[in-house]
Amino acid sequence: MKHKNKLSIKWKFFTYLMLFTMIILIMLWLSQVVFLETIYKSIKINEIKTSAKNIAKHIDDENIKEYADMIGEQNELCIIALKMENINRGLELVSVDKLNNCLLHNTDRRSKFFLYDLAVANDGEYIQNYRYDQMRLGFIESDGQQSGEFESIIYTLVFQNNIDEEIFLMVNSVISPVAATVRTLYYQLIVISISVIILAVILTIFFSNRISKPIRKINDSAKILATGSYNVDFKASGYKEVSELAETLNYAADELSKTDQMKTDLIANISHDLRTPLTMIVGYSELMRDIPGENIPENIQTIIDEAKRLTSLVNDVLDISKLQSGVGDFISKPVNITETIKKALLRYNKLTEQDGYTIDFEYAYDVTVNTDETRIMQALYNLINNAVTYTGADKRVTVAQTVKNGCVRISVTDTGEGIEADKLPLIWERYYKVDKIHKRASIGSGLGLSIVKSIMDMAGGNCGVESKIGWGSTFWIELPLRK
Ligand code: ADP
């Protein structure tokens, strides 16, 4: 567990919030202080061009004079439009004067025609910049690059009207210096920046506390859980994710405590189960050693039976740990499952012959599936063993193979006491045994069904149970048919 290079949530939050604040502030500074003049100029020039183009569009209208007047008023422009009769004579169509220092109405005819020539030479469109000269108390031509001064712009457009007459349009506008505005904004932004940074710090402290406090609380409880006390209660409020986490952890703690309880029970059972056969084996062996005439096959059989019981108990424990740790391989091959069931049932021959059990097998035809035969056989044994153990006095067990919806279902039915409905979901859990009171007859480990479930999960199949108190139970497994 390395936490050294990790920032706490508080600092993370602070960093992100600061980053966000900085980006916004930088954007504000750039747009309001650094580039304000450039942005303002380009907006203004755009405005002039749009106005000129709108007038050009309406040049043939009857009320073009009023229209130009309105545009000039709105955008503080001076506008003159001439219908060109020859290279240096024009008839005035429009004349609007809405500027204090209009250049158009103060220039002579020659300068106007000079502008006309420039526009024609530049594909019919030209912009001329002027700046205010303090010495001459008037505007002089400029390249438009200087800043902080009064500037005047004349935009000229030469175009054809609907009846192919040439029109020369001039629009003049003044750009006032923004230096004073920039200075005001500069001081405003300093105040805003400082306040925003302070606000970000306060917000960080407030929110990071609200976010991290429940997590810290859960972490403390989890540490208690880690020491093995499963009765911790994960409590967390505040927001959804954290209460979900608390809920999940409560569930996990609950499950852990259940498993722990079951393991304790199992160890108690297993030690009992181990001790009983061992006592029997030792007892019978000593009997046979010490008393002549006791060396009879029945006694030896008892020793063998008890030893087998031990083996199967140990095997169950090994199987489940192998299956659940995923160590065991599952090798799928085409398998005639009907033959597999028959093979499995052969193992119960002795049981049926000697102890009077009847095991029927019902099926219609042979079925092939893709699966691991050994594993399926293991699942079948577990189900049949349970059925034999729990079946009723008639000692009858029925195995049936049915085919439905592209699946083969193998069910094992007994005539025993059945299982209570509320216990049904629990019996598939590891170490679970319905009967806590130890019965000699049912010397199970509580692992059989969870082995079945693990195998069916690996096989991509299903398993389940139906049971009726007093009538018996039907356990089934299902596998998809081979395509
Ligand atoms: P066990 O090894 O104890 O049989 P299982 O996992 O196979 O463990 O079964 C869990 C519990 O389910 C058993 O202890 C038993 O109480 C119940 N059970 C399993 N099969 C049957 C059955 N055919 N009839 C009644 N109860 C059953």
Side-chain angles (χ1 to χ4, degrees):
M1 273 190 267
K2 278 191 187 154
H3 307 295
K4 275 193 198 129
N5 301 327
K6 299 251 160 67
L7 285 180
S8 79
I9 201 165
K10 196 193 289 184
W11 287 110
K12 274 234 148 118
F13 194 82
F14 182 69
T15 320
Y16 289 137
L17 201 65
M18 272 300 155
L19 217 68
F20 179 72
T21 315
M22 285 303 161
I23 290 171
I24 300 237
L25 285 179
I26 288 171
M27 274 161 64
L28 271 177
W29 276 93
L30 288 181
S31 64
Q32 299 301 301
V33 176
V34 184
F35 293 121
L36 186 69
E37 185 160 350
T38 324
I39 295 170
Y40 169 68
K41 265 190 199 171
S42 72
I43 290 175
K44 202 73 193 180
I45 288 174
N46 226 353
E47 221 173 75
I48 299 167
K49 281 186 179 175
T50 317
S51 304
K53 283 184 179 144
N54 278 336
I55 291 170
K57 228 190 320 178
H58 292 92
I59 199 74
D60 293 312
D61 290 6
E62 248 174 60
N63 55 355
I64 179 65
K65 281 201 165 76
E66 290 81 38
Y67 182 73
D69 214 55
M70 184 193 79
I71 296 235
E73 185 85 58
Q74 267 176 7
N75 301 311
E76 290 182 52
L77 302 170
C78 267
I79 305 163
I80 291 180
L82 300 177
K83 183 161 85 188
M84 299 304 286
E85 293 177 324
N86 60 42
I87 204 83
N88 45 25
R89 237 176 83 89
L91 181 70
E92 202 170 76
L93 293 179
V94 170
S95 172
V96 176
D97 186 358
K98 305 288 178 191
L99 268 184
N100 283 336
N101 287 304
C102 175
L103 290 183
L104 287 179
H105 291 85
N106 296 330
T107 44
D108 52 11
R109 232 170 54 94
R110 260 194 48 216
S111 311
K112 280 190 196 127
F113 285 103
F114 180 65
L115 284 174
Y116 168 78
D117 289 341
L118 275 174
V120 171
N122 282 287
D123 292 334
E125 187 183 20
Y126 192 72
I127 290 183
Q128 178 65 59
N129 292 284
Y130 303 87
R131 68 181 170 82
Y132 192 75
D133 191 274
Q134 301 284 357
M135 304 285 284
R136 295 203 217 160
L137 296 177
F139 283 100
I140 57 167
E141 280 184 21
S142 80
D143 56 2
Q145 297 305 312
Q146 57 277 97
S147 63
E149 296 178 49
F150 263 107
E151 279 185 77
S152 197
I153 291 178
I154 295 180
Y155 176 68
T156 51
L157 202 60
V158 177
F159 60 97
Q160 252 79 33
N161 69 0
N162 277 350
I163 47 171
D164 273 349
E165 294 163 329
E166 197 175 45
I167 310 289
F168 176 39
L169 177 66
M170 291 161 276
V171 180
N172 180 206
S173 177
V174 167
I175 294 178
S176 20
V178 291
T181 323
V182 168
R183 207 167 322 116
T184 319
L185 285 172
Y186 176 81
Y187 288 114
Q188 275 182 4
L189 274 181
I190 286 183
V191 175
I192 289 179
S193 303
I194 293 173
S195 339
V196 164
I197 289 172
I198 292 173
L199 198 71
V201 173
I202 294 173
L203 277 182
T204 302
I205 294 170
F206 179 71
F207 278 118
S208 63
N209 257 335
R210 283 198 61 151
I211 290 173
S212 64
K213 209 171 147 199
I215 296 179
R216 259 182 282 135
K217 232 162 89 183
I218 288 188
N219 193 24
D220 289 343
S221 305
K223 278 181 189 153
I224 299 176
L225 178 68
T227 64
S229 26
Y230 299 114
N231 55 353
V232 280
D233 190 14
F234 289 92
K235 259 191 270 165
S237 50
Y239 47 104
K240 197 169 135 223
E241 285 79 2
V242 117
S243 37
E244 270 172 12
L245 177 64
E247 222 168 86
T248 313
L249 283 171
N250 274 330
Y251 176 70
D254 206 41
E255 287 298 301
L256 276 176
S257 88
K258 256 196 245 164
T259 312
D260 199 54
Q261 184 57 41
M262 283 178 185
K263 268 193 189 144
T264 316
D265 293 349
L266 174 82
I267 288 169
N269 282 345
I270 288 189
S271 18
H272 184 274
D273 293 342
L274 287 176
R275 212 176 300 127
T276 320
L278 281 175
T279 317
M280 300 268 275
I281 291 170
V282 173
Y284 273 82
S285 309
E286 283 172 349
L287 188 76
M288 281 158 56
R289 181 195 63 198
D290 299 339
I291 302 174
E294 276 300 325
N295 207 340
I296 51 171
E298 284 83 1
N299 287 348
I300 295 175
Q301 189 57 47
T302 311
I303 293 176
I304 293 172
D305 288 346
E306 294 303 322
K308 276 189 182 158
R309 238 192 256 278
L310 276 179
T311 313
S312 95
L313 184 68
V314 171
N315 279 343
D316 267 6
V317 176
L318 288 180
D319 274 348
I320 192 76
S321 51
K322 239 195 265 166
L323 279 172
Q324 298 205 332
S325 63
V327 174
D329 293 334
F330 193 94
I331 304 154
S332 286
K333 268 194 230 130
V335 175
N336 181 331
I337 200 81
T338 320
E339 281 303 316
T340 308
I341 300 171
K342 285 183 192 162
K343 258 191 269 172
L345 290 179
L346 276 184
R347 200 166 119 175
Y348 295 90
N349 271 350
K350 203 171 139 250
L351 202 69
T352 49
E353 280 163 18
Q354 289 185 356
D355 300 338
Y357 282 92
T358 317
I359 305 182
D360 293 326
F361 179 35
E362 298 168 353
Y363 70 102
Y365 47 86
D366 280 27
V367 169
T368 311
V369 293
N370 233 347
T371 195
D372 185 329
E373 186 174 22
T374 322
R375 295 289 187 202
I376 296 300
M377 194 90 116
Q378 194 182 359
L380 276 175
Y381 281 143
N382 284 348
L383 293 185
I384 300 173
N385 282 344
N386 278 353
V388 168
T389 307
Y390 295 104
T391 197
D394 63 356
K395 295 191 171 181
R396 188 171 274 279
V397 171
T398 312
V399 179
Q401 171 201 291
T402 48
V403 176
K404 214 169 119 187
N405 301 334
C407 284
V408 57
R409 175 184 279 217
I410 304 153
S411 49
V412 181
T413 306
D414 64 64
T415 57
E417 291 170 20
I419 306 161
E420 284 164 47
D422 59 334
K423 302 264 162 56
L424 283 181
L426 302 175
I427 55 174
W428 302 93
E429 286 180 15
R430 263 191 291 177
Y431 310 125
Y432 184 84
K433 295 167 98 174
V434 173
D435 226 343
K436 289 269 163 72
I437 310 152
H438 191 71
K439 267 199 237 157
R440 186 76 189 102
S442 53
I443 186 183
S445 53
L447 292 174
L449 290 177
S450 73
I451 292 176
V452 173
K453 193 168 183 308
S454 298
I455 291 175
M456 294 321 289
D457 283 347
M458 283 174 117
N462 249 324
C463 55
V465 56
E466 283 117 40
S467 189
K468 203 171 159 196
I469 294 293
W471 287 86
S473 320
T474 299
F475 282 83
W476 54 263
I477 56 175
E478 225 171 46
L479 285 166
L481 287 179
R482 208 164 98 90
K483 299 250 162 56

